[in-house]
Amino acid sequence: MKVAFFSAKDYDQKSFTAANQAYGHELTFFEPRLTPKTASLAAGFRAVCVFINDELGEETLQNIAASGTQLVALRCAGYNNVELDVAQSLGMRVVRVPAYSPYAVAEHAAGLIMMLNRKLYKAYNRIREDNFSLKGLLGFDLHGKTVGIVGTGRIGECFGRIMHGFGCKLLAYDVQENPYLVETGTQYVDLPVLLAQSDITSLHCPLLPATHHMIDQESLAQIKPGAMLINTSRGGLIDTQSAINALKSGQLGSLGIDVYEDEGSLFFQDLSDTVIQDDIFQLLKSFPNVVITAHQGFFTQEALNNISNTTLSNLSDIEDRNVCSNEVA
Ligand code: NAD
């Protein structure tokens, strides 16, 4: 199948080109994000392959459908950036990679906790400047602390296994319970109870209309004073301005995020010579108790291999059999 890749980085090109030897699709890589402005690049391609921050709203979908695209292959799990009802009305199919490495994201969430708790970002810089003082580096034992997991699917379960290993007490909130976590002692509670009792809350549910800004002014007021909040899921789960207010008042003790609600114009590019125009992001970045990574939770070799193979197999399924188990309904 002829496929136009958008937001394609060197590592995408490398892993997809290697995996494609077993599939034989015709791959063309474009660096820009797919937006209404870049949609014309997809002309003549039966499929587009897109990532997290490509914009597949009504205008883009209508443009690419008009120039012959029939399939959207997401090389990620989330599909909140695709207007599914519009795609359906245009007869366009949408496939995704539901799981590629829950370990990658769960381990990154654990990494953010360690980094914030033990102030590893400060320690790293201090040693480079021959400052061997421990002042300001005091952390706490994770052992015995209460960790709240919001969303206990594949990634939430892996994260729970890791935190269980640290000796934490686990609370969870989800619309459905995870049998493994229940069996191993995790207690399901309502979100306000989880927020009020957890020393660390970690978000692992998808971004949906029901979860948009689930962490807002009201829920931040319910959080245990001084608690840590981790988000490796989607930026839109947190109302950033409310999080900033809670950090300023001390209600929120620390924040570790791999995702940001307006990350589309920032992440996955080198803007080191640019003046960043997003004042909210700049303010957030300035807090000493905030750690931000640029959506790298998924970024392990194992995950990249799985993403390439599943995406190419999804394309073959549609081309050869017209059915794909990873189609988004
Ligand atoms: P999953 O589908 O296995 O699990 C999601 C869980 O969220 C499910 O148990 C579901 O019941 C629950 N859920 C749905 N609606 C909810 C609600 N209203 N309140 C509470 N829980 C709700 O998904 P997953 O593979 O574990 O991935 C979770 C999220 O992680 C994805 O949606 C994606 O946004 C994010 N993610 C981030 C990265 C990264 O690089 N940072 C990579 C992959 C996925």
Side-chain angles (χ1 to χ4, degrees):
M1 195 183 298
K2 271 186 83 176
V3 191
F5 280 68
F6 286 84
S7 306
K9 305 290 179 200
D10 290 354
Y11 49 81
D12 293 313
Q13 197 156 341
K14 206 169 147 197
S15 72
F16 272 93
T17 304
N20 194 41
Q21 295 196 348
Y23 295 91
H25 294 293
E26 206 179 308
L27 314 182
T28 302
F29 296 93
F30 295 114
E31 222 177 288
R33 286 194 299 142
L34 178 56
T35 67
K37 281 190 187 151
T38 61
S40 58
L41 289 169
F45 289 91
R46 182 170 163 199
V48 291
C49 182
V50 297
F51 198 48
I52 294 153
N53 291 324
D54 290 297
E55 293 173 16
L56 291 105
E58 187 169 1
E59 194 180 345
T60 307
L61 289 169
Q62 278 176 347
N63 286 348
I64 63 174
S67 58
T69 299
Q70 298 160 358
L71 176 65
V72 173
L74 290 152
R75 52 181 192 277
C76 54
Y79 45 86
N80 52 286
N81 54 338
V82 185
E83 278 193 37
L84 291 177
D85 49 345
V86 176
Q88 194 181 17
S89 71
L90 293 165
M92 199 175 282
R93 317 269 296 265
V94 179
V95 294
R96 68 177 181 131
V97 184
Y100 38 88
S101 172
Y103 311 105
V105 185
E107 288 169 12
H108 192 72
L112 290 175
I113 292 172
M114 295 303 288
M115 184 137 161
L116 275 172
N117 176 27
R118 306 306 293 268
K119 283 111 182 146
L120 300 178
Y121 51 104
K122 285 189 185 176
Y124 173 82
N125 285 326
R126 275 191 195 178
I127 299 303
R128 293 174 71 86
E129 290 172 11
D130 296 334
N131 176 353
F132 305 109
S133 157
L134 298 185
K135 191 163 181 260
L137 301 186
L138 189 64
F140 54 82
D141 284 4
L142 280 173
H143 185 269
K145 293 294 177 299
T146 300
V147 174
I149 311 171
V150 180
T152 52
R154 282 168 281 241
I155 295 172
E157 180 188 319
C158 279
F159 176 75
R161 287 171 185 259
I162 294 170
M163 299 322 288
H164 190 70
F166 274 109
C168 298
K169 176 186 171 195
L170 301 184
L171 298 180
Y173 169 71
D174 196 314
V175 289
Q176 61 186 53
E177 296 190 353
N178 176 307
Y180 172 82
L181 290 179
V182 172
E183 256 173 49
T184 50
T186 296
Q187 193 190 344
Y188 277 82
V189 292
D190 286 342
L191 187 58
V193 176
L194 180 147
L195 294 173
Q197 293 187 6
S198 298
D199 299 292
I200 299 167
T201 293
S202 192
L203 307 180
H204 299 288
C205 62
L207 178 60
L208 304 165
T211 59
H212 180 253
H213 285 187
M214 75 191 308
I215 302 297
D216 58 6
Q217 194 180 338
E218 194 184 331
S219 49
L220 283 159
Q222 293 163 344
I223 218 161
K224 183 171 180 174
M228 181 189 291
L229 178 63
I230 302 292
N231 186 10
T232 55
S233 192
R234 283 290 182 271
L237 296 180
I238 299 181
D239 172 15
T240 314
Q241 187 57 59
S242 297
I244 287 174
N245 296 342
L247 285 161
K248 282 169 91 172
S249 72
Q251 169 71 3
L252 184 58
S254 55
L255 176 68
I257 54 173
D258 186 47
V259 287
Y260 166 63
E261 57 181 332
D262 291 319
E263 68 179 49
S265 59
L266 297 172
F267 288 6
F268 305 121
Q269 44 191 332
D270 179 358
L271 300 179
S272 51
D273 286 332
T274 311
V275 176
I276 304 286
Q277 301 296 322
D278 183 336
D279 295 344
I280 292 185
F281 183 78
Q282 293 295 71
L283 178 57
L284 197 60
K285 210 175 68 174
S286 71
F287 284 89
N289 48 353
V290 172
V291 164
I292 306 174
T293 53
H295 213 135
Q296 67 173 86
F298 74 100
F299 199 51
T300 66
Q301 190 57 58
E302 290 79 2
L304 286 187
N305 294 347
N306 291 338
I307 288 170
S308 313
N309 277 300
T310 305
T311 304
L312 295 168
S313 156
N314 287 344
L315 295 166
S316 295
D317 284 349
I318 296 286
E319 187 168 49
D320 301 341
R321 303 189 290 116
N322 204 28
V323 284
C324 176
S325 57
N326 292 329
E327 184 158 1
V328 182

